[in-house]
Structures are given as structure tokens and as C-alpha cells.
Amino acid sequence: MNMIVCVKRVPDTAESEVHIDASGRDIDKSRLSFGINECDNYAVEEAIQIKEKLGGKVTVISLGGKENDEVIRMALAKGGDDAIRLDDPAFAGSDGFAVAKALAAAIKDLEYDIVFTGALADDDGYAVVPVALAELLGVPHATYVKDLEILEDGKRARVGRELEGGLMEYLEIELPCVLGIQTGINEPRYASFKGIKQAAKKEIVVKSAADLGLDPSEVGEAGSWAILEKFSVPEVGEMAEILQGDPEETAAKLAQILKEKGLI
Amino acid sequence: MKDIFVLMEHRRGELRDISLEMLCGASQLGGNVVAVLLGSGVDSFAEKAAGYADKVLYVDDPMFENYNSEAYQKALSALIKEHQPGLVLIGNTAQGVDMAPALAVELGAPLVTDIIALEMEGDKPKPTRQFYGGKLNAHMTLKDAGMYILTVREATFQVGEPTKSGEIVKVENPVKEEITYRKFVEYVEPEVGEVDITQSTMLVGVGRGIREDKNLPIVEELAKVLGADLAASRAVVDAGWLPPDRQVGISGKTVKPKLYLAVGISGAFQHVTGMKGSELIVAINKDPDAPIFSIADYGIVDDLFKVVPKLTEKIKELKGA
Ligand SMILES: Cc1cc2nc3c(=O)[nH]c(=O)nc-3n(C[C@H](O)[C@H](O)[C@H](O)COP(=O)(O)OP(=O)(O)OC[C@H]3O[C@@H](n4cnc5c(N)ncnc54)[C@H](O)[C@@H]3O)c2cc1C
């Protein structure tokens, strides 16, 4: 089974303040920490588990600058075999469609049975790449995948997609295909020390838009379906009443409120 | 203005709410609203949609009994090519997300996903969507094209009273070839656990802020003195710290307890969808910008590891008194 895993490096904004920068179209990333997109981490694990079971090769692909190498090397350390980074100033401002085009250009001449991506990116939340990529490659797809079994003949897979309410939809799909992986499909491993050392020595092949045979007009903002005109801070209706004081005081206030509401 | 196509979504004999929501949203835009219904023996859905649409295009074929992206994409693209709408609305649901990007690539139509608001500038939509787990709104400009596709977040539009009585037009299935790539097999219900949190009067919802499963006892303690059950965000369930039947949200349960106390939960809309109907919502989170505070009634901005044990203590005192 030859597999390709697409990974994205994203800022961790769940626990930090997010500030719109001077351009109004981006955020100040100087004080944010970065890491692999959450569902991509599960995608990497899924590919490596299949490789361990059925043999084959795992190629890691990421679009972005040199800083992405850290995310790529972590995937290599866990069991990835080789890596490609798509890097070109022309990719700046790409939406999911433009990213999918760059990925498709890099993948179309590779041999693969399954291309894995995360179901969506934590930063932009587009959820476009897996399904658009499949269409560009002319292969079938499924996204929100939370269960996967390669069927005996190696030509098909039984795929479980997670729907609203946790209901699972099972389908059979022909390989080669693109699968958008959802969190919770497996338990992502931690890289071993040995793996990290080996991965540090591996080559990451860097490809520009021209290397991929892409015209600058096909990628970046020019090649996107939509551009982000500006960010704004969401208007909140009625905010929570924030209880003031140290933990002793806020806890006492809250307990009192719960009592008044008849909950204690 | 050209027609607006709205894809009806249904599953296991139910027309899903997003369908009528989108019809109502589309009706505010000007232009003919056409409900597109792909199904098998779902005349009642066609009738329901007709109350909110100027026309219902209904393809009745066993091929569409259960959703299949291959069949749906083929049928929709054929109908779109034939009728040339200016805008196509699809739910930003597990179904819609699984098909819309492929359809957009095939038709060369610009797509914006997961929109939460929509205005029109002539024939061109100006959608708003969210970035960074709901911390920012992004105002999007689409490339000029003859047709646009948008996927719409659930509950973006309200369903009103049916005021239309659109004509129901049964059309022949435009998909003549067999569906080969992808076959629907079955639905599997999520496992049922020991506690049904949809029945709980009070819930303490635990999020990734708890850091490790070995920290769970502090929230278990709190739940115990309150007489509440534990619920969880997806992050906690994915990590295996609490079982899946405790998950609240779009891919978990919808709960409406008297009290939902969210501890270390950021308030991603996928979570909020499942608990915003709770009578009283309280959030404890160290990030003052956490979206959970915009739907909570009361909030404490602080370290949960300091607040939660104190709260447990205070509740014990009040109970003893
Ligand atoms: C298709 C799809 C379906 C989904 N379905 C669901 C669903 O059903 N339910 C669901 O919950 N999610 C769902 N999600 C995931 C959702 O988008 C979020 O990723 C998830 O809800 C985040 O969980 P969290 O709030 O626990 O974690 P995070 O977003 O990581 O937030 C952790 C919070 O804890 C706070 N915190 C950290 N440390 C402390 C401390 N010491 N004291 C106080 N606060 C602290 C942080 O400030 C932060 O706000 C879904 C996603 C997708 C794509």
C-alpha cells in the first residue's frame, strides 16, 4: 500500500489571544506556538498503521515555508519514508482550492493507493482540500472518516464516516482514493527518540510552483475561489457576566448564584 | 437575478432542519428559490419544501435513498448545467462537506464553505465565515463567475412559517450510468453508555483544559457534590479520557440540562450547538476571549485548577448549611 499524507502547520489559537494585524487580513502570529493540524496528526497515524500492517511506503507532503519542516520531520519520525515540501511565494493567500491544486500537481505522478489529509484545518476550517483534491486527481473520496479497513483484495476499503450525532455511515470505496481523516480514528503515537534522530537525516524535497508545472495565476490568491477581504472580531450579543475576584471569591459567588437558582 | 438552488438534505426518513433553514435564508436574497430534492419515495419532503420554495425539482429514484457523493454529484451537476442557477446552497454538514468541493471543482464554480452570514452584491454573494475556532469572522470576496456555491452552517438561518406553495416538478433521473466508485453499506448507531446525558438535570462539561485524565477527579468531585453528571468536549473523548457517550456537540449529543458548567472548554460552535439550549450556562476558562463566554450566563476567567476545588468546597459548605 503506497500512501501519501498531507499535513498542515497551524497556529494554536485555542488558548491564546488572537489579534488582527495591520493588514486587517491576517493575525499577529509572533507570539503563537505552532504545530501539526489536529486531524492531520490522526491521518499520519492511520497511514503508518496501515504501512505496519500491509507494508508499503508513506510520503509526507506539506505546503509552506521552511518552518514546516518541523511538522514534516515529526511525521517522518513516526514512520514516514520520504517527504516533499511545496514552497513558493506564489502560494501565499491560497484557499483550500488553490492548496488542493498544488497538492494535486505534486501527487498526480506519484504512485499511490490512498492519499490521506485531515478532514479540515483548525485555522481556516475550510474542509475543502480532501474532496477537491480527489476531484482534481480524478479518484473517489470520502471525508469525516473515522473508521477504515482495507478489504482483502487491496483494491477497496470499508470506510466509516462520522455524521451528525455520532452516527456512522459505512461505505465501500475503490482505491486509489483520497480520505479526509477525522480526529478520534486512532490513538496517535509519540515519535521515538530513535525515530526523531533518523528523521533529522532524511531529505525533504522542495518543489516550487514551476517545478510542479503550475502557473502563478493558478495558485495563491489568484488561483483561489475566494479571498479573505478582512477579519473582524465577532459581535457578541450578551456576554456572560464575569464574576470578579480571586478563586476563593469567584467560587463563593458562583456557589451562591447556583443556590439562588435552586440548583444546590 | 438568476435562480437559487438549495439542496435538500435528508437521512433515514427525515428531512434535516438545514434544508428548510437554507430555503428561508435563500428567500431573503431575492431571486427564485428552487429546492432540489434527490430521494426515493420522499413525496412528503417535496411537499414540505414546496411551502418554502418557488419550485421543487424532485428526482425520485432508489439511487438516492441514502446519500452517496458519487450519485449526488452526478445528479446535481447535470441539473445545474441544465437549469443554470446563479447560486447553489448546500448544508455545511457531513453530507455537504463530502460533496460540495468536488462539485465546485467539476463545475468551475467558486465555493466558500461553512458560511455564517450572507449578503448579496448584485448576483454575487458576500459571505462571512469564521477562522480560528470562532475567534474571528472572515469577510470573503469570491472570484467573479457565472455561478457560486456556498455551504451553510446549521442554524445560520431561522425557519419561519411556510408562505409559499412552489410547484413540485418531478424530473427524470439525469444519472444514467451505474454508480461504481462508492457504495453505501449501512448506518451504525453510536454505542450507548451507562449514563444518558440527555436526561441529566445538571452537567459538568469537561474540556481539553483539564490537560490529563489523571486530573479528572477534581471535576468528578465537583459533579458529585452538585449531583451532576460529567459530559465532555470532543477533544476529551478523542483523547480517550471519557467515553464517547459523554460527548456534547454536533457529532455527539444535544443536551438541555438546568445547568451546564463548562470547565476548560473553548466553545467551538461544534460543541456549543449541542449545549446552547441549557437553562443556565456557566463557564470556567482562563482565556477571557474564549468563545464559550459569549453564550454563557456567568463566567469565571481563571485557572480551573484553582477555581474548581474551591467551588466544590463552597458548594459543600452551602449544602451543609
Ligand atoms: C465535523 C466536526 C465535528 C465536531 N464535533 C464536535 C462535538 O460534537 N463536540 C465537541 O465538543 N467538539 C466537536 N468538534 C471539535 C471542535 O471543533 C473543537 O475542536 C472541540 O470542541 C475543542 O474542545 P475543547 O474546547 O475541549 O478544547 P480546546 O478548544 O483546545 O479548548 C481548551 C480550552 O481550555 C482552556 N484552558 C486550558 N487550560 C486551562 C486552565 N488551566 N484553566 C482554565 N481553562 C483552561 C483554554 O483556554 C481553552 O479555551 C468537531 C469538529 C469537527 C470538525
Side-chain angles (χ1 to χ4, degrees), chain B residues 3-317:
Chain B
D3 288 357
I4 303 172
F5 264 27
V6 180
L7 179 63
M8 299 295 97
E9 180 169 324
H10 57 89
R11 180 179 300 147
R12 302 168 103 192
E14 264 180 58
L15 185 66
R16 301 198 67 239
D17 293 348
I18 182 72
S19 306
L20 299 186
E21 289 168 17
M22 290 190 294
L23 287 175
C24 290
S27 298
Q28 297 157 21
L29 303 175
N32 256 337
V33 177
V34 180
V36 180
L37 175 61
L38 310 174
S40 176
V42 288
D43 298 25
S44 64
F45 300 167
E47 281 153 29
K48 190 119 194 226
Y52 297 88
D54 300 300
K55 186 159 107 184
V56 181
L57 283 182
Y58 175 24
V59 186
D60 185 4
D61 192 295
M63 182 185 280
F64 304 115
E65 183 183 349
N66 295 301
Y67 164 80
N68 177 332
S69 66
E70 190 186 348
Y72 260 63
Q73 186 183 338
K74 283 186 171 143
L76 265 179
S77 83
L79 292 173
I80 288 169
K81 281 176 192 154
E82 186 188 339
H83 296 269
Q84 302 278 329
L87 178 63
V88 178
L89 301 183
I90 296 173
N92 193 75
T93 54
Q95 271 191 26
V97 168
D98 190 58
M99 192 226 3
L103 184 70
V105 170
E106 181 193 343
L107 296 172
L111 162 73
V112 172
T113 55
D114 198 16
I115 68 156
I116 58 157
L118 178 59
E119 281 172 38
M120 295 299 284
E121 230 174 46
D123 278 345
K124 191 164 158 174
K126 297 264 307 167
T128 304
R129 59 190 310 290
Q130 295 195 312
F131 271 55
Y132 306 113
K135 284 195 169 172
L136 292 182
N137 282 353
H139 306 269
M140 307 298 293
T141 303
L142 286 125
K143 288 291 159 60
D144 287 326
M147 185 194 76
Y148 306 93
I149 305 180
L150 303 173
T151 66
V152 181
R153 181 178 291 186
E154 289 177 88
T156 294
F157 302 113
Q158 304 289 314
V159 179
E161 292 299 310
T163 54
K164 298 185 178 182
S165 49
E167 182 194 359
I168 298 173
V169 184
K170 264 203 177 189
V171 292
E172 205 189 318
N173 185 359
V175 188
K176 299 290 174 233
E177 68 268 36
E178 250 194 88
I179 297 305
T180 52
Y181 283 168
R182 184 167 152 158
K183 290 207 162 62
F184 172 83
V185 181
E186 60 179 335
Y187 289 118
V188 176
E189 296 281 352
E191 267 173 51
V192 192
E194 59 199 87
V195 182
D196 180 0
I197 56 168
T198 64
Q199 300 303 315
S200 306
T201 345
M202 287 190 258
L203 287 171
V204 174
V206 192
R208 188 167 8 225
I210 198 77
R211 296 270 175 241
E212 285 180 79
D213 55 350
K214 73 170 184 24
N215 296 328
L216 280 174
I218 70 157
V219 279
E220 281 165 358
E221 235 341 72
L222 173 62
K224 207 171 120 201
V225 299
L226 264 175
D229 292 313
L230 277 191
S233 74
R234 181 174 187 126
V236 165
V237 170
D238 283 344
W241 301 338
L242 283 172
D245 56 287
R246 301 291 178 129
Q247 184 181 317
V248 169
I250 211 163
S251 54
K253 300 219 164 108
T254 301
V255 297
K256 292 183 175 141
K258 285 203 161 75
L259 169 68
Y260 190 90
L261 178 49
V263 179
I265 291 180
S266 62
F269 91 91
Q270 292 99 338
H271 184 81
V272 168
T273 302
M275 46 65 79
K276 63 176 181 221
S278 307
E279 276 176 42
L280 184 73
I281 300 174
V282 180
I284 302 175
N285 195 307
K286 64 174 187 183
D287 174 8
D289 294 332
I292 191 80
F293 289 122
S294 66
I295 58 132
D297 300 290
Y298 294 96
I300 296 178
V301 180
D302 212 329
D303 183 353
L304 72 92
F305 295 103
K306 294 194 182 125
V307 177
V308 171
K310 286 277 179 233
L311 182 59
T312 307
E313 209 177 278
K314 299 290 170 195
I315 293 170
K316 265 191 200 153
E317 278 171 29

Side-chain angles (χ1 to χ4, degrees), chain A residues 43-203:
Chain A
V44 169
E45 178 64 30
E46 199 61 21
I48 292 169
Q49 284 189 11
I50 293 174
K51 177 182 134 171
E52 286 170 348
K53 218 159 126 194
L54 303 175
K57 205 176 86 167
V58 175
T59 302
V60 182
I61 302 190
S62 184
L63 184 146
K66 183 121 188 67
E67 62 283 359
N68 285 36
D69 285 356
E70 175 201 348
V71 165
I72 296 172
R73 288 206 193 279
M74 201 46 87
L76 291 173
K78 292 178 178 186
D81 296 281
D82 42 29
I84 307 172
R85 181 159 57 78
L86 313 180
D87 190 3
D88 199 305
F91 295 148
S94 290
D95 69 356
F97 177 46
V99 169
K101 281 192 277 189
L103 291 172
I107 292 169
K108 68 177 192 316
D109 298 323
L110 303 178
E111 255 182 55
Y112 62 88
D113 299 292
I114 305 178
V115 179
F116 291 100
T117 75
L120 95 177
D122 296 334
D123 52 358
D124 59 44
Y126 282 136
V128 157
V129 168
V131 181
L133 177 59
E135 183 72 19
L136 290 164
L137 291 170
V139 300
H141 70 265
T143 191
Y144 285 12
V145 173
K146 213 182 153 188
D147 195 6
L148 173 61
E149 185 192 346
I150 309 298
L151 299 177
E152 283 134 61
D153 60 5
K155 293 193 176 70
R156 285 171 311 133
R158 178 179 156 91
V159 168
R161 299 202 319 116
E162 189 189 45
L163 312 180
E164 288 74 16
L167 182 71
M168 294 291 286
E169 174 191 288
Y170 279 89
L171 46 106
E172 272 185 31
I173 186 170
E174 271 180 34
L175 306 190
C177 66
V178 180
L179 301 178
I181 299 296
Q182 176 59 294
T183 59
I185 187 175
N186 52 37
E187 281 178 50
R189 71 192 67 193
Y190 291 96
S192 67
F193 184 65
K194 188 171 148 230
I196 292 172
K197 265 178 68 182
Q198 283 170 350
K201 284 183 240 141
K202 285 197 178 145
E203 189 199 0

